[in-house]
């Protein structure tokens, strides 16, 4: 429940500097609009204010924004589209990769929610998701599985980069471990980097060494799969 603003954001500038067209949006579930729009991603099983659940109208919004950009700008290449997100954006990245792999040439899921069921007991926000979704894990475990990208992992058929911090308390590192192991068991293309002594906010407040390394890893990954500039080709400053 946050939002992108019309403001300078270093990551968008970094990817643009590497030669990518950057598309982002504030889907349902984001603040800045109305309370009803924020609550639109509650579980459809919620007794009050039911919504589509995670991976519903929010994922539709991201795809609609992408389609709008591709339709508006002729020079964009729809065959070389990557998707990237962290935290809830990581969740949506994993979800979109599981349900719409044909739309993307590569995906990078960071500090993501991949298994809502285990997150509800392992996160530092344990128990909170029942209030967020409108149904508790104890009452509706099948709903938590339905909304978990891990439950749909067989649909992921796109090169996947997984990034996670080992001291992440909001989305513990087992969320990344589970997705990585499942993809390896399925024989899918996956790369996994774990950052020691870093928290959920590593990309914003982590050590300078790890923040630079993370950017280089992402640029290298998308450079190999989308044909953009590799880290050594991006101007400094």
């Amino acid at each position: 429940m946050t939002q992108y603003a019309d403001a300078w954001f270093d990551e968008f500038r970094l990817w643009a500097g590497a030669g990518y067209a950057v598309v982002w949006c504030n889907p349902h579930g984001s603040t800045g609009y109305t309370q009803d729009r924020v609550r639109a991603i509650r579980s459809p099983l919620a007794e009050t204010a039911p919504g589509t659940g995670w991976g519903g109208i929010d994922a539709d919004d991201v795809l609609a924004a992408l389609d709008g950009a591709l339709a508006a700008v002729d020079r964009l290449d729809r065959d070389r589209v990557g998707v990237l997100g962290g935290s809830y954006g990581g969740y949506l990245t994993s979800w979109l990769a599981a349900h719409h792999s044909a739309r993307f040439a590569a995906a990078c899921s960071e500090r993501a929610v991949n298994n809502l069921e285990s997150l509800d007991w392992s996160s530092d926000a344990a128990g909170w998701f029942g209030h967020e979704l409108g149904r508790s894990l104890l009452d509706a475990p099948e709903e938590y599985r339905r909304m978990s990208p891990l439950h749909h992992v067989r649909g992921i058929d796109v090169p996947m980069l997984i990034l996670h911090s080992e001291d992440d308390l909001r989305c513990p590192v087992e969320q990344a471990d589970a997705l990585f192991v499942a993809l390896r068991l399925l024989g899918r293309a996956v790369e996994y980097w774990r950052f020691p002594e870093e928290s959920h906010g590593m990309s914003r407040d982590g050590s300078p060494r790890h923040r630079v390394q993370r950017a280089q890893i992402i640029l290298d990954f998308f450079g190999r799969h989308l044909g953009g500039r590799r880290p050594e080709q991006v101007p400094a400053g």
Side-chain angles (χ1 to χ4, degrees):
M1 294 182 185
T2 184
Q3 62 176 294
Y4 291 119
D6 184 14
W8 190 88
F9 184 42
D10 61 334
E11 294 200 39
F12 293 164
R13 300 302 186 267
L14 176 63
W15 314 141
Y20 298 104
V22 183
V23 180
W24 71 94
C25 67
N26 290 315
H28 281 81
S30 304
T31 52
Y33 296 93
T34 64
Q35 185 66 251
D36 287 343
R37 186 180 175 92
V38 172
R39 293 163 71 87
I41 59 173
R42 283 165 61 83
S43 167
L45 302 182
E47 294 182 1
T48 59
T52 66
W54 292 15
I57 195 171
D58 46 356
D60 292 341
D61 287 345
V62 173
L63 292 176
L66 172 60
D67 287 337
L70 292 171
V73 184
D74 291 339
R75 62 189 178 90
L76 298 185
D77 187 347
R78 65 181 59 249
D79 294 324
R80 292 193 298 159
V81 176
V83 58
L84 163 70
S87 194
Y88 191 83
Y91 167 86
L92 280 177
T93 297
S94 297
W95 182 270
L96 289 169
H99 292 82
H100 302 280
S101 276
R103 299 292 307 271
F104 305 104
C108 173
S109 179
E110 299 187 76
R111 60 188 185 277
V113 176
N114 292 308
N115 184 354
L116 269 165
E117 188 174 15
S118 65
L119 185 72
D120 194 61
W121 63 64
S122 62
S123 171
D124 64 352
W128 171 81
F129 298 97
H131 299 286
E132 164 76 4
L133 298 170
R135 291 299 299 272
S136 74
L137 172 64
L138 296 177
D139 292 335
E142 71 288 345
E143 178 69 348
Y144 281 64
R145 297 186 195 109
R146 180 191 70 80
M147 290 186 289
S148 295
L150 188 65
H151 186 68
H152 308 277
V153 68
R154 291 183 183 276
I156 297 179
D157 192 19
V158 60
M160 173 73 77
L161 173 63
I162 301 172
L163 304 177
H164 218 100
S165 296
E166 293 185 346
D167 292 344
D168 190 334
L169 300 180
R170 183 55 44 87
C171 298
V173 72
E174 60 90 13
Q175 294 287 314
D177 292 346
L179 183 62
F180 173 69
V181 171
L183 288 172
R184 284 297 299 269
L185 289 173
L186 291 170
R188 306 296 163 78
V190 58
E191 301 173 30
Y192 182 21
W193 292 78
R194 289 171 56 144
F195 292 87
E197 300 180 353
E198 295 290 0
S199 71
H200 189 66
M202 190 271 286
S203 65
R204 299 177 294 276
D205 57 20
S207 68
R209 176 172 62 93
H210 283 154
R211 293 181 68 186
V212 170
Q213 184 183 23
R214 166 188 170 271
Q216 292 172 334
I217 290 168
I218 294 173
L219 286 172
D220 176 73
F221 175 76
F222 282 122
R224 285 184 280 118
H225 293 287
L226 303 184
R229 298 184 194 175
R230 305 286 284 274
E232 63 275 8
Q233 300 171 314
V234 178

